Amino acid sequence: MNSNPRLNAILLKIKKMGYSLTPQRLEIIKIISESKSHPSATDVYNKVKELYPMVSLNTVYKNLSMLASLHEVKEIKTMQDSVHYDGDISLHGHAICEKCGKIIDVEIDEFDFKRFFETKIKNKLNENYRIRNYGVEFYGLCGGCDKD
Amino acid sequence: MNSNPRLNAILLKIKKMGYSLTPQRLEIIKIISESKSHPSATDVYNKVKELYPMVSLNTVYKNLSMLASLHEVKEIKTMQDSVHYDGDISLHGHAICEKCGKIIDVEIDEFDFKRFFETKIKNKLNENYRIRNYGVEFYGLCGGCDKD
DNA sequence: ATTACTGCAAATACTTTGCAATTGT
DNA sequence: ACAATTGCAAAGTATTTGCAGTAAT
């Protein structure tokens, strides 16, 4: 195998689900599982092109959507433009700069959040609402943009 | 004046900022400040048309964007389609159904959240990051869709 | 009178679809 | 060999832009 646990987990699920593994797909998975910059589909596309110049944007979209439907990447909708993808599916929040659009991770302790959720929020939801994913965003101005 | 405090607050800010108040604008503000259903721009457009059949979708977009930039409505990006607007700018979360797209409010106690934020999250952020808005989303299946 | 707002049409941006050719298993 | 995936082109949606005419203060 290799040393990236996210990559391995995704490849395993791909195999388990009976999907095939093309070079383009592998490269897309590598990029998204290693990236810390929450790239858009176009960002990923430009990276894949370095290795496979013939790849189409469409292929990137299809693969990222597939990974999202498998819950192996998280989609982030910002206020300003396209969807961004996050290969880190662990619990964490995002601080999104309203000016430059940069997205940075905000560490959220899983234990703390779960306790907050269980004690303060869960009972506000309809009993049979089945939660599958959380999103916690902070909108504002990052250090760089706050100066202006 | 009238009995809708959100409406009054928005009208006051409009005036303070020196914007003018057209009938279409007033109607858009009325709709968004009274609605509890998190409508999209097109939803609002269809409602405005009942009173002003000649209104353009463009006008609706412009007004909703203006209100968002004034922080008088909140934009909600769902996973599936267009932006939805929320005239309730008080602290609360949204549960978004991944199947039918329905958005329901989730009550979050301001005191509890602020304490959680202050003690557990704030110190994870860069010191000079200026937060202006929060977003808390729960993605999953609503009662109706969970049956299928 | 001046400035902002509206409505129309066209443009742009992002994402999806249809399909023939190709590739992975 | 078979089914899934790719790349291309075209279509679809959501949103924005430019601008002349109109309305608000």
Side-chain angles (χ1 to χ4, degrees):
Chain A
M1 282 290 223
N2 62 67
S3 58
N4 181 335
R6 286 292 307 126
L7 178 57
N8 291 337
I10 297 174
L11 293 181
L12 210 65
K13 186 173 258 181
I14 297 271
K15 176 165 272 179
K16 197 174 77 182
M17 303 295 283
Y19 294 126
S20 48
L21 188 62
T22 63
Q24 296 94 321
R25 174 165 291 172
L26 175 59
E27 183 63 11
I28 291 167
I29 297 173
K30 268 187 187 161
I31 290 168
I32 198 64
S33 69
E34 284 163 8
S35 170
K36 302 209 179 312
S37 64
H38 317 90
S40 67
T42 306
D43 297 333
V44 174
Y45 170 63
N46 287 327
K47 272 222 162 173
V48 181
K49 268 207 297 200
E50 292 172 9
L51 196 55
Y52 300 105
M54 298 314 295
V55 76
S56 76
L57 179 54
N58 187 326
T59 296
V60 175
Y61 270 113
K62 277 186 181 155
N63 277 286
L64 290 174
S65 302
M66 187 261 271
L67 292 171
S69 74
L70 259 50
H71 296 280
E72 291 297 335
V73 305
K74 239 180 150 176
E75 295 179 325
I76 311 170
K77 301 241 172 175
T78 73
M79 285 306 170
Q80 23 201 223
D81 54 354
S82 51
V83 175
H84 291 248
Y85 294 88
D86 192 343
D88 177 1
I89 55 171
S90 71
L91 177 66
H92 64 283
H94 293 120
I96 302 168
C97 178
E98 289 178 326
K99 185 143 182 252
C100 71
K102 198 169 62 183
I103 303 170
I104 63 173
D105 287 333
V106 180
E107 191 188 326
I108 297 180
D109 182 86
E110 184 143 3
F111 176 75
D112 290 336
F113 183 81
K114 285 273 159 67
R115 189 176 48 185
F116 180 70
F117 178 72
E118 293 290 335
T119 61
K120 303 294 184 184
I121 294 179
K122 203 179 180 184
N123 58 325
K124 311 290 187 189
L125 276 166
N126 186 317
E127 211 174 290
N128 39 14
Y129 207 107
R130 183 195 308 219
I131 301 290
R132 292 206 283 211
N133 250 308
Y134 307 92
V136 181
E137 293 93 43
F138 304 96
Y139 298 100
L141 290 175
C142 71
C145 291
D146 194 22
K147 288 176 201 133
D148 319 332
Chain B
M1 281 289 224
N2 63 67
S3 59
N4 181 334
R6 285 293 306 128
L7 177 56
N8 291 336
I10 297 174
L11 293 182
L12 209 65
K13 186 172 258 180
I14 295 271
K15 176 165 274 179
K16 197 174 76 181
M17 301 296 283
Y19 295 126
S20 49
L21 189 62
T22 64
Q24 297 94 322
R25 174 166 292 171
L26 176 58
E27 183 62 13
I28 291 167
I29 296 173
K30 269 187 186 162
I31 290 168
I32 198 65
S33 70
E34 284 164 8
S35 170
K36 301 208 179 313
S37 65
H38 316 91
S40 67
T42 306
D43 296 335
V44 174
Y45 170 63
N46 287 327
K47 272 221 160 173
V48 181
K49 270 207 298 198
E50 293 172 9
L51 196 55
Y52 301 104
M54 296 315 295
V55 75
S56 77
L57 179 54
N58 188 325
T59 295
V60 175
Y61 271 113
K62 278 188 180 152
N63 277 285
L64 290 173
S65 301
M66 187 261 271
L67 293 171
S69 75
L70 258 47
H71 296 281
E72 292 296 336
V73 306
K74 237 180 150 177
E75 296 180 324
I76 310 169
K77 302 242 171 176
T78 73
M79 285 309 169
Q80 24 203 223
D81 52 357
S82 49
V83 175
H84 291 249
Y85 295 87
D86 192 343
D88 176 2
I89 55 171
S90 71
L91 177 66
H92 64 283
H94 292 120
I96 302 168
C97 178
E98 289 178 325
K99 188 147 181 246
C100 71
K102 198 169 62 184
I103 303 171
I104 63 173
D105 287 333
V106 180
E107 192 188 324
I108 297 179
D109 182 86
E110 184 143 1
F111 176 75
D112 290 337
F113 182 81
K114 285 274 159 69
R115 189 175 49 183
F116 179 70
F117 177 72
E118 292 290 335
T119 60
K120 303 294 185 183
I121 293 179
K122 202 178 179 183
N123 59 325
K124 310 290 186 189
L125 275 166
N126 187 317
E127 211 173 290
N128 40 13
Y129 207 107
R130 184 196 308 220
I131 302 289
R132 291 206 283 211
N133 248 311
Y134 306 92
V136 181
E137 293 93 41
F138 303 96
Y139 298 100
L141 291 174
C142 71
C145 291
D146 194 23
K147 289 176 197 132
D148 319 332

